[in-house]
Amino acid sequence: MFAYDVKKNGTDVDVTLTGRLDGAVAPQLHEQMVALQGQDIKNITFHVKDLEYISSAGLRVILFAKQKLGADTRLYLKDVGEGVRSVLEVTGFDNFVEMI
Amino acid sequence: MIRIDEYPTHEHNGIPYRCGRVQPFGASVTSGGGINFSIFSRDATKCELLLYHYGAPEPFAVIPFPEEFRIGHVFSMIVYGLDPEMLEYGYRFDGPFDPAQGYRFDRTKVLLDPYAKLVSGRNRWGKEPDWNDPFQHRGCVIMEDYDWEGDKPLEIPMNDLVIYEAHVRSFTKDVSSGVRYPGTFAGLLDKIPYLKELGVNCVELLPIFEFDEFENSRVIEGRRLYNYWGYSTVNFYAPKAGYAASAPMGLAADELKNTVKQFHKAGIEVMLDVVFNHTAEGNEQGPYISYRGIDNKTYYLLTPEGYYYNFSGCGNTMNCNNSVVRNCILDCLRYWVSDYHIDGFRFDLASILSRDQNGAPMTSPPLLETLAHDAILGKTKLIAEAWDAGGLYQVGSFPAWGRWAEWNGRYRDCLRRFVKSGAEQGPELLWRMQGSPDLYGNRCAEASINFITCHDGFTLRDLVSYNQKHNLANGEENRDGSDNNDSWNCGAEGDTDDREILELRLRQEKNAVALLLLSRGIPMLLSGDEFGNTQFGNNNAYCQDNQISWLDWNLLEKNKDLHDFFKRMIHFRAKHPVLRRSDFFRDKNSSGYPEMSFHGTRPWELDESQPFLSFGVLYAEPKADYGTKEDAFIYCAVNAYWEEARFELPSLPNGMVWREIEYTGKEGRANRAIRDGAVSLMPRSLMLLVGKAET
């Protein structure tokens, strides 16, 4: 089960992710990230308190967002749970995001 | 740009597919959102692709390859609408079953793709599999992307390497390691600072290609034994999922790539122990996992009667010089270098790779030549364990084309014997310390991987603590493991409280490793030796997934003295390029002294043809030749005798003085100046001195 919510406040974007972000649902989130390209975004924060699980495809959507939104955009993961944190650490994806 | 060949042309039970691309082999995600499947079989008459939802017992689709999809001996198709993350796949082949002719097709068997980039079935180490599942090891699809952030293989000059051999699980599984993810690739990360401080710059990992820890698994006295070391490959392209903390999420590949990236950031190369000499399918009694059912005659060396040659001692032998298998091996190594940034490979039982399709040794084996000259592998280190289990022993004669280094088993044997007072080894030891020009004179010292210990045999601590092997825990009545260990227990077998014996053991460990690190050639250390790790006398712990194999990091504090000695010697070697020179040069250099010379207890007097137990080795390291900060001389006095020995030191140029740097005996005084031209060494000890300008 997966749900997401994207809110834009000026140059900040808040994305709330809930449930399981896997290959079946990742394309939906990917489309949202593509839609943000080219806009003036200074900060994008993924609120992941209720994200239970993230798969290879899910990680890649987030990394894609970082790459496509540009070096000037700060990407945050907020309230990362233990399971997701472990995945980020062992794969090195934690180097690409800031956890707050 | 849009491709015009990414639309389905066929359908099977609602699944769209089309003719695929023969390259690359394996399963790869296409730009059009399909998955391309491509597989070779020369002798099959029919091939089917089986698709499974992850973990399902039965496939959700079985798609025969139409004849028009075959090019040459390769079957390929692109299938659309699949979720790569939730997919497992395999193949079934039909063809003749005529073992005497080498054909063993069985269309009831579902087979693993040899080019699968990830394999499921053993995601969690040691989790009891479903033995009723006829398709245990299944192919999975990964995104073969990764952000290396500019990383590439380090290309550290070979002669600067200090290799550290480690087993991924043993290295951090014990709770004493204190790492966050014990026994895994990620577990290695937490030990990078330790390794960097130790000073090693290359980690050689025991097999990390997918293998089955349950192969030949058995329970002895309530303890399960496993195929623990992994010298039995199930698949050559997949990292062992059970070594990845993130394997349940399908992220083993990313985890290993991150591990390599972090090692590289710390200036440490990663080398893999690879096992192309046989597969996990065993002999005629073994299971159908992959190759046997795909193309038995191509992949295996077969006798004229159709049985499996067994030059590996493990049931079968890969047909390495067959042109298709050659390409498979080449593809594999290229893949690990380009996609995982691996710096080098050590080839287990490499002499098998020099045998032809009938098992006979060749003087110019095409596989070895191919690997030596390949474009992508051009900077990759290639190391051969230059023997096999079928009688070939090629140390000093491995077909090399100037590229292959060898595990120098003769170095190991000679050093072990000398250190336990084998005087007749003295003359040979001088050759070994030069980098073995008697073996590699037409090449260079970089061909010689010098070592005292490795995974096969005793640890260093056990080498000085046991006369006999103690392998009863392996359940083979102590028949397994080598009986020729050249070990010496220093007076008591195993555990002892005797202080003198313990001191002697420590001295012997230091003596051995000092000689190793002062030798020309490439030193290799066994992980854990630096803090006296023990396997309790087990010299063949291939099946022990417990404290026998797991490094005990509590010993780091207990044996700090030994650890610090290792560290200082490794750093000493790094500081002195004369030790790492690889062209066997020993003549006079700009110092006016021979660059490398040997002495008796009196300088410039040693009969190198007669047995001896005391000798000195002198290196002259002028800054003009080496670009170092200052002129230096290095002298190591070695007393393997059981009595005290007095060494007169070679005279230094005016204005220079000898200073003691290391002494493995009692009451060493680091940096003490020697003004009377002589030093006394206690029995079985070694002193390292450096001659520099008096400051």
Side-chain angles (χ1 to χ4, degrees):
Chain A
M1 231 264 322
F2 176 67
Y4 67 89
D5 182 57
V6 183
K7 281 195 175 57
K8 195 159 180 295
N9 298 312
T11 56
D12 289 346
V13 175
D14 289 282
V15 183
T16 304
L17 303 176
T18 308
R20 293 173 57 91
L21 176 52
D22 61 21
V25 298
Q28 302 170 33
L29 186 61
H30 175 79
E31 273 176 35
Q32 297 294 317
M33 298 299 106
V34 168
L36 292 174
Q37 253 186 279
Q39 300 183 37
D40 179 23
I41 297 171
K42 295 215 163 32
N43 303 292
I44 178 166
T45 303
F46 289 87
H47 300 259
V48 293
K49 185 161 71 80
D50 295 319
L51 185 67
E52 298 159 13
Y53 171 91
I54 187 164
S55 76
S56 171
L59 287 171
R60 279 159 166 82
V61 170
I62 295 189
L63 208 61
F64 174 86
K66 174 84 180 105
Q67 289 173 348
K68 290 304 172 192
L69 294 176
D72 294 332
T73 305
R74 305 281 295 270
L75 189 148
Y76 301 97
L77 290 186
K78 189 164 189 303
D79 300 326
V80 182
E82 190 52 47
V84 173
R85 180 183 293 270
S86 292
V87 167
L88 292 167
E89 279 174 355
V90 306
T91 56
F93 279 67
D94 60 341
N95 288 328
F96 299 104
V97 302
E98 291 179 62
M99 290 194 262
I100 55 172
Chain B
M1 285 289 281
I2 313 162
R3 285 191 75 117
I4 57 169
D5 58 352
E6 278 276 15
Y7 63 95
T9 55
H10 292 60
E11 190 191 288
H12 176 88
N13 292 351
I15 296 173
Y17 67 103
R18 63 165 294 126
C19 182
R21 298 170 205 140
V22 296
Q23 290 191 307
F25 291 125
S28 33
V29 177
T30 72
S31 53
I35 300 179
N36 186 68
F37 297 91
S38 176
I39 188 161
F40 156 86
S41 172
R42 192 189 64 182
D43 295 324
T45 53
K46 198 165 149 236
C47 179
E48 292 170 317
L49 171 67
L50 283 77
L51 302 173
Y52 295 74
H53 293 304
Y54 197 90
E58 298 295 327
F60 67 84
V62 179
I63 310 177
F65 282 84
E67 174 60 17
E68 62 267 27
F69 284 17
R70 181 183 57 75
I71 293 187
H73 299 299
V74 180
F75 303 86
S76 64
M77 73 165 77
I78 301 177
V79 183
Y80 296 94
L82 301 175
D83 177 0
E85 282 191 345
M86 296 312 296
L87 186 71
E88 292 169 330
Y89 72 101
Y91 294 94
R92 278 200 303 238
F93 287 89
D94 209 351
F97 184 84
D98 185 355
Q101 296 301 313
Y103 302 117
R104 289 182 183 266
F105 288 99
D106 182 343
R107 70 170 309 278
T108 68
K109 304 289 187 197
V110 188
L111 302 161
L112 171 65
D113 177 7
Y115 276 74
K117 304 301 188 299
L118 189 65
V119 177
S120 63
R122 298 287 184 270
N123 273 1
R124 287 187 204 273
W125 173 281
K127 178 162 178 262
E128 187 96 10
D130 173 8
W131 296 115
N132 295 321
D133 183 357
F135 184 34
Q136 297 257 333
H137 307 279
R138 302 181 173 193
C140 298
V141 180
I142 61 168
M143 287 302 297
E144 291 174 57
D145 60 351
Y146 190 71
D147 189 348
W148 283 99
E149 295 182 279
D151 179 84
K152 63 188 276 291
L154 292 183
E155 297 178 15
I156 294 176
M158 186 82 178
N159 63 318
D160 289 341
L161 286 188
V162 177
I163 303 174
Y164 185 86
E165 195 202 36
H167 182 279
V168 170
R169 190 168 163 86
S170 295
F171 196 55
T172 63
K173 183 67 186 128
D174 194 80
V175 67
S176 60
S177 72
V179 306
R180 289 170 296 165
Y181 305 100
T184 68
F185 297 127
L188 298 172
L189 297 177
D190 287 351
K191 290 301 186 190
I192 289 178
Y194 166 82
L195 293 171
K196 199 165 156 63
E197 200 193 306
L198 181 63
V200 300
N201 54 16
C202 176
V203 166
E204 181 177 311
L205 299 176
L206 261 67
I208 58 122
F209 294 170
E210 184 67 35
F211 65 89
D212 184 2
E213 67 269 29
F214 282 95
E215 183 186 323
N216 289 331
S217 179
R218 54 209 185 277
V219 176
I220 304 286
E221 289 170 8
R223 212 179 219 192
R224 184 169 273 283
L225 305 181
Y226 294 91
N227 169 24
Y228 180 71
W229 280 350
Y231 285 95
S232 188
T233 317
V234 159
N235 172 286
F236 291 96
Y237 285 82
K240 173 138 181 69
Y243 279 165
S246 60
M249 276 74 77
L251 288 163
D254 292 294
E255 182 174 326
L256 178 56
K257 286 172 186 174
N258 181 48
T259 302
V260 174
K261 192 204 274 188
Q262 300 309 323
F263 268 113
H264 284 178
K265 272 191 184 158
I268 300 174
E269 291 197 345
V270 178
M271 225 187 275
L272 301 183
D273 192 342
V274 294
V275 191
F276 293 107
N277 57 75
H278 73 285
T279 77
E281 287 187 312
N283 63 14
E284 305 77 26
Q285 322 295 337
Y288 277 76
I289 299 175
S290 182
Y291 302 96
R292 195 200 306 285
I294 295 173
D295 213 31
N296 189 56
K297 243 179 123 144
T298 294
Y299 287 107
Y300 292 113
L301 283 188
L302 302 175
T303 70
E305 301 80 28
Y307 295 108
Y308 292 92
Y309 274 119
N310 189 14
F311 296 111
S312 64
C314 302
N316 65 50
T317 313
M318 273 203 105
N319 191 2
C320 297
N321 282 290
N322 169 286
S323 55
V324 168
V325 182
R326 236 168 39 224
N327 284 336
C328 288
I329 295 173
L330 179 63
D331 283 347
C332 170
L333 298 172
R334 285 176 158 190
Y335 175 69
W336 286 94
V337 169
S338 62
D339 278 47
Y340 284 87
H341 290 196
I342 296 302
D343 301 277
F345 303 97
R346 174 264 187 192
F347 293 76
D348 183 65
L349 297 185
S351 291
I352 282 177
L353 278 55
S354 72
R355 292 182 182 270
D356 70 18
Q357 298 190 60
N358 301 311
M362 291 188 277
T363 46
S364 285
L367 170 64
L368 299 180
E369 186 183 3
T370 298
L371 298 182
H373 293 127
D374 184 66
I376 296 174
L377 305 179
K379 302 281 195 188
T380 304
K381 275 110 178 152
L382 304 173
I383 298 174
E385 184 192 30
W387 52 81
D388 69 17
L392 270 184
Y393 185 83
Q394 297 173 310
V395 173
S397 61
F398 190 77
W401 289 277
R403 289 271 277 121
W404 287 83
E406 300 171 13
W407 269 24
N408 191 341
R410 294 191 47 189
Y411 183 101
R412 172 201 60 212
D413 298 342
C414 176
L415 188 84
R416 287 186 179 196
R417 290 170 194 162
F418 179 82
V419 159
K420 66 181 182 85
S421 306
E424 63 286 348
Q425 300 299 317
E428 185 184 337
L429 182 62
L430 304 188
W431 289 103
R432 302 292 150 254
M433 290 193 75
Q434 293 173 59
S436 300
D438 56 327
L439 302 175
Y440 307 113
N442 58 342
R443 295 185 50 198
C444 66
E446 289 170 20
S448 182
I449 307 296
N450 301 333
F451 64 107
I452 314 160
T453 52
C454 67
H455 65 276
D456 274 326
F458 285 129
T459 67
L460 187 62
R461 173 52 54 99
D462 290 355
L463 191 69
V464 300
S465 306
Y466 296 90
N467 284 355
Q468 318 289 344
K469 62 187 181 185
H470 297 266
N471 298 348
L472 285 174
N474 295 353
E476 297 180 53
E477 294 166 351
N478 211 32
R479 279 179 281 115
D480 65 300
S482 174
D483 291 308
N484 302 318
N485 299 292
D486 295 316
S487 63
W488 177 46
N489 65 20
C490 299
E493 185 75 353
D495 280 340
T496 180
D497 291 329
D498 187 313
R499 213 181 55 131
E500 276 197 29
I501 291 178
L502 293 174
E503 278 174 7
L504 175 56
R505 287 177 178 176
L506 179 59
R507 218 152 70 233
Q508 290 287 77
E509 288 172 284
K510 288 179 176 178
N511 294 339
V513 78
L515 285 170
L516 175 66
L517 290 163
L518 294 170
S519 296
R520 286 178 164 175
I522 314 302
M524 182 177 77
L525 305 169
L526 174 66
S527 57
D529 277 357
E530 71 274 18
F531 50 79
N533 191 59
T534 176
Q535 289 180 172
F536 313 102
N538 190 322
N539 78 348
N540 189 30
Y542 73 97
C543 53
Q544 300 293 337
D545 181 23
N546 50 53
Q547 277 75 15
I548 291 175
S549 290
W550 302 348
L551 263 54
D552 180 0
W553 289 86
N554 291 321
L555 295 172
L556 185 54
E557 197 184 309
K558 185 170 169 222
N559 296 321
K560 187 175 183 323
D561 177 32
L562 177 64
H563 170 264
D564 289 351
F565 182 82
F566 265 74
K567 195 164 105 172
R568 292 195 304 269
M569 287 306 307
I570 293 169
H571 283 90
F572 185 86
R573 184 183 177 85
K575 222 171 106 176
H576 291 284
V578 72
L579 302 172
R580 309 194 306 275
R581 186 169 185 155
S582 52
D583 61 359
F584 303 124
F585 180 75
R586 287 185 54 190
D587 296 341
K588 272 193 193 165
N589 59 26
S590 69
S591 67
Y593 288 65
E595 182 152 306
M596 186 180 186
S597 55
F598 297 103
H599 307 260
T601 49
R602 301 182 65 141
W604 311 105
E605 289 180 24
L606 176 68
D607 185 347
E608 299 184 17
S609 67
Q610 295 300 315
F612 56 81
L613 281 173
S614 307
F615 76 99
V617 53
L618 175 70
Y619 286 98
E621 186 182 67
K623 69 178 185 204
D625 296 359
Y626 281 97
T628 43
K629 271 200 325 223
E630 53 187 329
D631 294 334
F633 290 83
I634 298 166
Y635 183 81
C636 186
V638 183
N639 183 22
Y641 194 35
W642 48 87
E643 304 276 1
E644 188 177 287
R646 186 170 180 278
F647 288 73
E648 289 174 27
L649 302 175
S651 308
L652 287 167
N654 284 338
M656 297 183 94
V657 69
W658 286 114
R659 290 191 182 275
E660 177 186 321
I661 302 299
E662 297 289 347
Y663 178 44
T664 63
K666 290 185 196 182
E667 290 157 19
R669 279 173 288 156
N671 214 34
R672 130 181 111 100
I674 317 294
R675 301 206 184 273
D676 60 358
V679 292
S680 284
L681 267 63
M682 70 177 285
R684 298 200 170 92
S685 68
L686 170 157
M687 186 181 289
L688 176 64
L689 304 107
V690 168
K692 279 191 185 167
E694 184 102 64
T695 45

